[in-house]
Structures are given as structure tokens and as C-alpha cells.
Amino acid sequence: LFLSLKLEKKTKGKLQKQVCQVVLDHFEKQYTAELGDAWSSVRDVLTSPWCWQHALLLNRFSRCPGLESSLAEQGYHPAFPAALPYLPAAFRCYIRATPGRFPSQKHQPGRLKEYYLLNAASLLPVLALEVKDGEDVLDLCAAPGGKSVAILQCACPGHFHCNEYDDLRSRWLEQTIESFIPDPLINLIMISKLDGRQIGDLQPEFYDKVLVDAPCSNDRSWLFSADPQQAVLRLMQRKELSSLQFQLLRSAIKALRPGGSLVYSTCTLSKAENSDVINLILNSCRNVLPVDISEMARGVSQEFTFLSGTQQHELLVLPEKGRAWGPMYVAKLKKMSST
């Protein structure tokens, strides 16, 4: 017992030490202004990795007989209630209130994994997208591939295009798809390394649904930047992210068929990268309308804490102890039919 306490102290100390002060100071200023009182409890969770939680998304293509009962024994329960507007029967996700990580499965060529470990809030963009069988779907910034895998747990798209511009991340995406999706279905998936800002021009009005899980200032990982110089550089470049996000959204709208819808998501709390970007799109694109996702938000309000005062077409998941999911911003838009 003494040894394990000592070890726990050591790991806590190690994690504690790694919080990057430059980033924390920057967030402190910005998020106190943007989130008010909510920021201090969010900060406590974000700076304490031992209280982070992981959900398990089960792989419908590789069912493991004893897995669900073994999860139940360990205190896990199904995450999403059946009352949601969109929840395909094959979509199974398990969570529990206590932190701790289920063992991850190693990549083995030719063998499918049984589950994907992830932040449960990152499934909300997929549920908001409401993909149906046979639809043509684009995941514009797809690596590492968790949301692509989640989309395929929901439906079997007619054509599924997963794009990732970054070379290293693109290889990661390929490996994820290979680990979770069986051969006949893999043939329906196109993986590309295009600049997402150009896809709209290359494939105009081609897709029924588009997911833009945009590159963003990832609050969780930035807080643990090991290299202070890299952290300073990130913070300087942070201002440019919203312009990139806006361009990716513009491209996604071009790629959508009239009547099609898109979901925009980030894993940052930053207003500049969230509602500001969406407002800019709504103000500058005449053919785009916001879509109300408040019913989904109400359906999952047992599991997630949301920032109050957001619009009906958006939500922001705030991490808190015992529900350490997020940050995750989700907004849904629809392209008008051209009359």
C-alpha cells in the first residue's frame, strides 16, 4: 500500500509539474472573461489529468461476447439515453463516473479492435450529424479517426470520404480505420490528404453531410506543452486559427448539396474559435441556416455540463469533476435548397 501511495504521489507530482504556466496564464485571462464563474471549476479539471475520464465506443464489426458484462461489473453504464432524437441501435458507448482508464488495445494488422477509447463529448458532433445509410459523407479533418469510426457505428454511407491534410496524422487515420472497419466496408472509404480549404472547389455540392472537426487550440493538450517555447509559439499562432476554421467551413458549405447539413466542432473553450466563427459564416453565407440541436443537448444533459446562454444551434461541453468530458463545441448548419 505504501508503495502504491508513493507511486500515486509521484505520478500526481509529475502531472502537476507538467502544467505549462505560460498557457495557463493565457487561458486564465481569456476564460475568466469568457466563462466567468464557470472557469475555476473547469480549470481544476483540465489541470488534473488523474480526474479525466475515458469512454468506450464499442465496435459493431467486432463484438466481443463478455465485454459488456465485464464493463458492467466495473461500474460502466451505457452513455446515451434512448430518448435522443438520433441514436442508432448499433451505436454503443459505455462510461462511468470514476476516472481511470480501461486498457487500450494494440493495433494488430488483420485483427479488428473491439472498442475505441475516447472523450465521450467527442461523440456529440457525430450524433448531431445524424448520418443515414446511403448518404454521401465527408469528414473534412478526420485524424486520428475516432469520429470517422463513430460515424460508421451509426450508418453505412454510400460514399465516405475521410480527409486529413497532415502527413503523419493521415497515417494515424489510416491505421485507425484499418483497426476498426472490416474489408468490404473499407472499400467504400476514400482517404485523402487534400487541403480541406480546397475540397469545396474540387467536389462542389457532392455531399449530404459534412463533419468539420476543425484544427483548434486543444485546451487539454496545450496546458501540458512540455516545451515553453513551443507553447509561446502556439499562443502567438492561436489568432490565425479562426481564419483557417472559417475557410474550412466555407469549403465544407461548397461541398454540401443543397438541403445537406454540416456539423462544426472543436475541443477548445475559445469563443473566437467557436461561436465567433459560426456567426461569421452565418453573416457571410446567405445560403446557410442554423439548425436547432437543443433537443439533443437536453437528451444528454445527465451526462454532460453545458455552458448556459449559447444559441439553439450550438453547445459547449464544460468539464467538471465526475463529468470530466469536454471541452467540446458543437454547432449545426444547413445549406438551403437552391430555388
Side-chain angles (χ1 to χ4, degrees), residues 79-87 294-302:
F80 298 102
L84 285 185
Y86 171 86
L87 190 72
S294 57
E295 195 187 338
M296 178 186 82
R298 274 195 302 277
V300 296
S301 58
Q302 294 306 109

Side-chain angles (χ1 to χ4, degrees), residues 197-204 251 254-255:
R197 293 171 290 191
Q198 293 162 3
I199 287 182
D201 290 325
L202 296 169
Q203 297 182 304
S251 171
K254 283 183 190 167

Side-chain angles (χ1 to χ4, degrees), residues 73-74 76 80 129 151 173 197 254 270 339:
E73 278 165 26
Q74 293 177 58
Y76 284 86
F80 298 102
L129 197 59
I151 285 169
L173 169 67
R197 293 171 290 191
K254 283 183 190 167
S270 175
T339 42

Side-chain angles (χ1 to χ4, degrees), residues 206-256:
F206 190 84
Y207 298 99
D208 301 297
K209 302 274 164 78
V210 179
L211 175 63
V212 184
D213 185 42
C216 66
S217 47
N218 181 326
D219 296 350
R220 272 183 194 241
S221 67
W222 281 28
L223 274 166
F224 293 89
S225 307
D227 174 3
Q229 278 161 314
Q230 182 205 31
V232 170
L233 191 66
R234 274 177 170 172
L235 293 172
M236 281 163 63
Q237 292 168 339
R238 195 175 194 204
K239 294 181 184 69
E240 293 154 34
L241 279 168
S242 53
S243 151
L244 168 65
Q245 291 153 347
F246 177 75
Q247 291 168 349
L248 288 168
L249 268 173
R250 279 262 294 269
S251 171
I253 290 162
K254 283 183 190 167
L256 264 186

Side-chain angles (χ1 to χ4, degrees), residues 60 84-89 91 125-138 150-161 185 188 207-210 257 259-261 263 291 332 334:
R60 67 170 165 147
L84 285 185
Y86 171 86
L87 190 72
F91 187 86
V126 173
L127 293 176
L129 197 59
E130 302 194 13
V131 176
K132 314 268 191 309
D133 287 346
E135 288 182 327
D136 296 323
V137 181
L138 167 63
I151 285 169
L152 292 165
Q153 302 305 316
C154 293
C156 182
H159 173 86
F160 191 24
H161 181 176
L185 196 53
L188 299 175
Y207 298 99
D208 301 297
K209 302 274 164 78
V210 179
R257 290 188 178 123
S261 51
V263 167
V291 178
K332 187 169 185 178
K334 189 180 174 82

Side-chain angles (χ1 to χ4, degrees), residues 49-307:
W50 56 86
C51 76
W52 295 1
Q53 291 154 280
H54 293 86
L56 284 90
L57 176 67
L58 303 198
N59 187 7
R60 67 170 165 147
F61 307 110
S62 168
R63 279 288 162 84
C64 166
L67 182 59
E68 295 188 58
S69 52
S70 128
L71 285 170
E73 278 165 26
Q74 293 177 58
Y76 284 86
H77 62 274
F80 298 102
L84 285 185
Y86 171 86
L87 190 72
F91 187 86
R92 317 280 278 279
C93 173
Y94 280 81
I95 61 176
R96 64 176 182 185
T98 49
R101 189 170 182 152
F102 208 74
S104 57
Q105 295 178 308
K106 291 224 172 358
H107 173 71
Q108 292 174 299
R111 235 188 116 179
L112 294 182
K113 293 185 180 183
E114 288 144 10
Y115 55 84
Y116 190 99
L117 288 175
L118 78 183
N119 183 325
S122 63
L123 295 171
L124 294 176
V126 173
L127 293 176
L129 197 59
E130 302 194 13
V131 176
K132 314 268 191 309
D133 287 346
E135 288 182 327
D136 296 323
V137 181
L138 167 63
D139 188 349
L140 192 67
C141 317
K147 293 181 181 72
S148 301
V149 165
I151 285 169
L152 292 165
Q153 302 305 316
C154 293
C156 182
H159 173 86
F160 191 24
H161 181 176
C162 299
N163 181 65
E164 178 53 54
Y165 186 48
D166 182 90
D167 205 44
L168 196 69
R169 287 173 63 80
S170 181
R171 288 206 291 277
W172 190 4
L173 169 67
E174 279 176 29
Q175 194 180 75
T176 303
I177 298 282
E178 199 185 303
S179 291
F180 285 90
I181 310 303
D183 273 344
L185 196 53
I186 278 197
N187 302 334
L188 299 175
I189 302 169
M190 179 176 112
I191 296 179
S192 67
K193 288 194 258 193
L194 299 165
D195 181 335
R197 293 171 290 191
Q198 293 162 3
I199 287 182
D201 290 325
L202 296 169
Q203 297 182 304
E205 306 204 338
F206 190 84
Y207 298 99
D208 301 297
K209 302 274 164 78
V210 179
L211 175 63
V212 184
D213 185 42
C216 66
S217 47
N218 181 326
D219 296 350
R220 272 183 194 241
S221 67
W222 281 28
L223 274 166
F224 293 89
S225 307
D227 174 3
Q229 278 161 314
Q230 182 205 31
V232 170
L233 191 66
R234 274 177 170 172
L235 293 172
M236 281 163 63
Q237 292 168 339
R238 195 175 194 204
K239 294 181 184 69
E240 293 154 34
L241 279 168
S242 53
S243 151
L244 168 65
Q245 291 153 347
F246 177 75
Q247 291 168 349
L248 288 168
L249 268 173
R250 279 262 294 269
S251 171
I253 290 162
K254 283 183 190 167
L256 264 186
R257 290 188 178 123
S261 51
L262 76 79
V263 167
Y264 173 76
S265 60
T266 73
C267 51
T268 180
L269 298 159
S270 175
K271 189 170 164 293
E273 296 173 54
N274 294 340
S275 47
D276 287 359
V277 174
I278 292 295
N279 290 337
L280 196 56
I281 278 287
L282 288 170
N283 291 332
S284 61
C285 298
R286 280 244 177 80
N287 58 343
V288 177
L289 283 178
V291 178
D292 187 346
I293 54 170
S294 57
E295 195 187 338
M296 178 186 82
R298 274 195 302 277
V300 296
S301 58
Q302 294 306 109
E303 313 288 11
F304 301 100
T305 304
F306 298 112
L307 177 69

